[in-house]
Amino acid sequence: MSVVTIAREGEIAVVAVNNPPVNALGQMLRQGLWDAVGALDADPSVRAVVLICEGRTFIAGADVTEFGKPPVPPHLPDLVDCIEGAAKPWVAAIHGSALGGGFEIAMGCRFRIALDGASVGLPEVGLGIVPGASGTVRTPRLAGVEAAVELVTSGKPVKAAKAAPLGLVDAVVTGDLRSEAISFARAALERPLPPPISRRPVEAPEPGFWERQEKAIWKRARGEIAPLRALACLRKAVEADFSDAMAFERATFLELRSSEQAAALRHVFFAERAAGRPSHLAAAEPLPIRLAGVVGGGTMGAGIAVALSDAGLPVVLVERDGEAVEKGLSNIRNVYDGAVKRGRMTPDTAAERLSRVTGTTDYAALADADLVIEAVFEEIGVKRAVFGELGRICRPDAVLATNTSYLDPRLIAEGLPNPERFIGLHFFSPANVMKLLEIVPVPETAPAVVATGFALGRMLGKIPVQAGICEGFIGNRILKRYRASAEALVRQGVAIDAIDAAMRAYGFAMGPFEAQDLGGLDIAFLQREGARAAGQDVAETLGDILVRVGRKGQKTGGGWYDYAAGDRTPHPSTAVAELLSSQINGKADLSAKEIAESLVGEMAEEGAAILSEGVARQASDIDLVEIHGYGFPRWRGGPMFATRSK
Ligand code: 3H9
């Protein structure tokens, strides 16, 4: 079947694109559209053209799978020019998303109308590139410099309702898009046509605008190059003429397309899309989830309840007594209040989502739940008692999940009737925000239950990754190695703040020691103490030395660093230097690059061990865990990608 077909509605031609799954602009589609312009220009009975797409979305952009290959004509910028230069006006009829090259094609059209709920955007910076078919040059001419800078440098799509007042689309319609677009085209023919976007003037911003933007983007980007390069293209679009700006954009696009950062971001793009639908579960049918339960209303349980309610599920929250139920519900309320305060949610939406959660002390309320997630205190006896109750009360086919971080799920499940419905679902705090979900089956877990874990991940908008059983699963095991390796550098005489600064320069928001001060050193300490009490041989860490004198992090006024009261700025601590002096041998002189390479290398080495033991199914899963759970810079592609032999 052809990827482009042409139909007629009187004097209006309707060009329909059908290139599943997302109508990406592969060579065949570009050629098809190019030929359509020629054919319709040559047909005197056609007065206007509607461009519409089949399937789930308008054109979602260039075909990213073509990026590693030599470009084949017709090139996208030429196609956009060709549509713009057509003798008849084209109207882009947008549903789903018009993204990247898709929105650039829409800007080649004389008009853009969008279905209510559709979005438009230029997400290229997320792929380590800049728009390469006039996105940086036409957008400021269409919607002004400020809107263009926001759209291009953030990469975030905007919904039609917001796009219309910005001038990105001419009209928002409801109902049947095809007939609305045909009516729009007919009406447009009755009026003088607006000039093509390339010929519209662009107003320069006020003095200092570019410098301010550059500073803000530089700070946000933390080493990511595409947003700053995109800003440079936008500036050129305002300060040079159209064709010079196009040449500048094209050169920047081609340079970045073959950059290491773009390769890393493409790797993450495809890994994320593959994550939700693992091939080994292709034959397993997920179980339906209509009613969910959460046991435990602490920070983690409340966050999980919010995530479930946000996805539209009714949630039963079970706690051990009335006071704990109230506390759990108030934890949930606080999350929604915070979202309203920050303008992320309307009060009505927050109230509706809150009302989907009911609190109780009675396990019987879980009798009809399809899924129950246990998020109680990390202690084996407490968790087993919960599953004792769940085994008694819940339907035999209900999926029962533990949110343990460190305990062995096999021990938690011991004695549970129908253990094939048991699974570990490891959320990351705050559970309603963090994208990562580690899915940890026990040997008995049925494939359909594992598939249900993945389906839940998709439902909650998370990145689900399957992990095998070992201490810390994938993420916390690598975290442990990372922290131990950072401590080893301190023992060799590398300064604590030099290590943190090196990891920030690498792209992390925080270094390993600052991060521990923020989260508290005591949790990992207690865990080590627990293992020691159980007879395990756990070596004394530098962190242990600090916690033993009460330095648990910011909450105690000091950890690896000192803090002034009410201020989160870390100050290197002479007290810590004294406490640790007997542990430090030498004065290693490593550059920031050497420090980061050493620590990322350690993470990757642990990752390799995890892979060889079968704890992770593929290297890209480890990268996703680090990016979505531990702040690894996305544009580095994750530790496995960053250290792969090239
Ligand atoms: C660009 O346009 C550059 C230009 O400025 C200049 C060029 C000269 N290419 O996400 P989903 C696949 S850069 C190839 O699960 P959804 C995806 O891998 C591009 N394939 O669907 C998956 O494959 P599979 C700028 C693509 O409904 C399938 O489609 N555009 C592309 O949840 C379904 O994907 C973007 O960055 C692509 N461009 O979401 C848009 N996009 O089934 C990226 C998707 O084999 N795309 N695939 O696993 C998206 O954001 C989402 O796919 C979208 C649909 C919102 C459209």
Side-chain angles (χ1 to χ4, degrees), residues 20-22 24-25 30 56-67 75-77 96-97 99-104 119 121-124 126-127 129-135 157 249-250 253-254 257 269-270 272-274 277:
V22 294
L25 284 155
R30 296 197 303 275
R56 66 172 107 162
T57 181
F58 191 78
I59 299 166
D63 186 341
V64 179
T65 59
E66 283 186 353
F67 278 8
H75 303 301
L76 199 49
S97 312
L99 297 177
F103 187 54
E104 291 171 318
S119 32
L122 293 164
E124 284 87 342
L127 289 164
I129 53 175
V130 296
S134 83
E249 181 196 77
R250 186 74 182 160
F253 169 80
L254 290 175
R257 195 179 63 167
F269 176 87
F270 287 113
E272 282 175 347
R273 270 152 187 87
R277 295 181 296 268

Side-chain angles (χ1 to χ4, degrees), residues 290-312:
R290 288 161 299 224
L291 173 65
V294 175
V295 184
T299 307
M300 201 43 142
I304 295 172
V306 169
L308 294 165
S309 174
D310 285 351

